Structures are given as C-alpha cells and as structure tokens.
Amino acid sequence: MQAIDRPNFRQKAERFLGQWGVFFRGFVEHPRMVGSVIPSSRFTIDKMLAPVDWANCKLFVEYGPGVGTFCQPVLDRLPRDGALIVIDTNPLYIDYLKKHYRDSRFHAVLGSAADVEEIVRAHGHDHADFVLSGLPFSTLPEGVGPEIAAATYRVIRPGGAFLVYQFSAKARSYMARHFERIDNGFEALNIPPCQLFWGWKEPAA
C-alpha cells in the first residue's frame, strides 16, 4: 500500500497562516536576508511612501519585497502607465508574488539588488524614479551593502530618492557616501520600531 503523503507541521502552518506563513518560512530559511519576522505595519508603509512624487513616478523599484507588504500600496498610488519592479534573492517569495499579483504593471525578479541597473535596463527603462529597500544592511555579506547603495544611486534619476526602512542605522552610512541629502524618520508603531531614511539624488545645478 502506498504511504499517505501527510503535510508536515511547516506546511500546515503555511496553509493556516497564508501570507504570514510564507513570510515566516522565508525568515526561517534565510534569516540574514529578511529584516524582521513580522511584515511592516501600515503606519510604516504610509510614512515611508508619503514623500514620493507619484505623479512623476514611472518606475518604482523595491528590494526585498517578501510577500508583498508594500506592493499593493505602491500599485494603488502608481500611475496607470507606471511600473513596479520587485527584486528578491528568495525564490519562495518571487513565486508567491507572481501568483498573487496579476497587475500588468507588476514585475517580480529573482536576483540581487546589486544588479538593479541591469534589471532596470532589461525591462526597457533607463532609470528608476524611486527605490525602496527593507533589506537588513547590517547582516548582508561583506561588501554587498555598499555595492547596493552605489548601484542604487547610479540607477535613480536626479530628483528621485532611495527609501530605506531599517532597525539599525547601518544603511544610512552607506547612503551618505552617495546621496546629497538624507531625511530621517522613525516609526514606533511597527514591530520592532524602525528607522526611516530618504536619500535624495539632487537635480544637476
């Protein structure tokens, strides 16, 4: 008699928890690449996206989207002719996002944020207007954080910004090497509370 394939505890938890289950599994499997075991709060989302000039945003890029906590809020604000590219190194998250977001403006890419310039060009764009990151810069492999910050600065158009939410200030030190102006914020209504940074690429004089 053929043995019955019974779901293990992790599979049962994923089915029960849905999106949260997928997010938790990604954290367990790759804890150094996921900033938190709990997705960002709506307060963090609203505050992080508030400075974006949506009327002039044709391409929005996100690093480390996880299960899409920011994706729908970005799509809700993005112009109809705009595009959202999300980049993640975890195939679990990319597969989940491709199944759950059918918006023609949405593109999920399995890859590294350090390759953002190539990814943006591959999708037919010369630059990004705004880039969002929740990557845990303090736990990324040596040299990856500075490489991502430099590539992000190059890909963002003048007048655009690099939006970062973190639980430490490590990312800010990388951003400060490139971005002319960095605005700081803080959101207490998040688990855990997080620091917010907006690095602006000033227009040429």
Side-chain angles (χ1 to χ4, degrees):
M1 180 180 292
Q2 185 177 5
I4 298 174
D5 185 15
R6 299 183 183 278
N8 58 32
F9 176 79
R10 187 178 69 184
Q11 291 170 328
K12 290 179 179 178
E14 287 175 14
R15 291 176 185 174
F16 177 75
L17 295 172
Q19 183 187 53
W20 283 64
V22 175
F23 189 88
F24 181 72
R25 176 182 168 187
F27 177 82
V28 170
E29 293 180 354
H30 304 282
R32 290 172 61 87
M33 301 302 292
V34 180
S36 170
V37 70
I38 297 176
S40 301
S41 72
R42 62 182 178 88
F43 303 101
T44 299
I45 295 170
D46 290 343
K47 187 175 289 187
M48 194 80 257
L49 298 179
V52 175
D53 178 10
W54 294 104
N56 293 301
C57 182
K58 299 302 181 184
L59 177 60
F60 192 101
V61 176
E62 181 183 4
Y63 303 154
V67 292
T69 306
F70 275 88
C71 291
Q72 194 58 55
V74 169
L75 290 170
D76 289 343
R77 294 163 169 81
L78 196 65
R80 296 181 67 86
D81 61 346
L84 167 61
I85 298 175
V86 300
I87 305 169
D88 207 298
T89 58
N90 192 332
L92 174 70
Y93 291 152
I94 293 299
D95 288 345
Y96 177 87
L97 293 170
K98 286 182 176 179
K99 291 176 182 177
H100 285 77
Y101 288 92
R102 301 296 186 181
D103 193 311
S104 61
R105 300 170 297 169
F106 180 81
H107 310 277
V109 177
L110 179 64
S112 170
D115 298 323
V116 62
E117 293 166 285
E118 291 80 3
I119 292 171
V120 165
R121 285 196 294 267
H123 284 78
H125 300 274
D126 296 324
H127 60 258
D129 297 292
F130 294 89
V131 177
L132 169 71
S133 175
L135 295 176
F137 279 85
S138 61
T139 61
L140 293 178
E142 184 70 25
V144 174
E147 185 179 357
I148 290 174
T152 303
Y153 181 81
R154 291 193 299 266
V155 83
I156 290 176
R157 65 162 171 83
F162 187 21
L163 290 59
V164 178
Y165 57 100
Q166 295 279 285
F167 307 117
S168 76
K170 189 71 173 179
R172 192 187 192 288
S173 63
Y174 297 149
M175 296 167 70
R177 300 174 188 176
H178 308 283
F179 291 90
E180 292 86 350
R181 185 183 105 225
I182 299 178
D183 297 333
N184 304 299
F186 182 77
E187 182 50 64
L189 298 176
N190 194 79
I191 302 176
C194 62
Q195 300 184 57
L196 315 178
F197 306 110
W198 297 268
W200 296 92
K201 185 172 182 177
E202 300 289 4

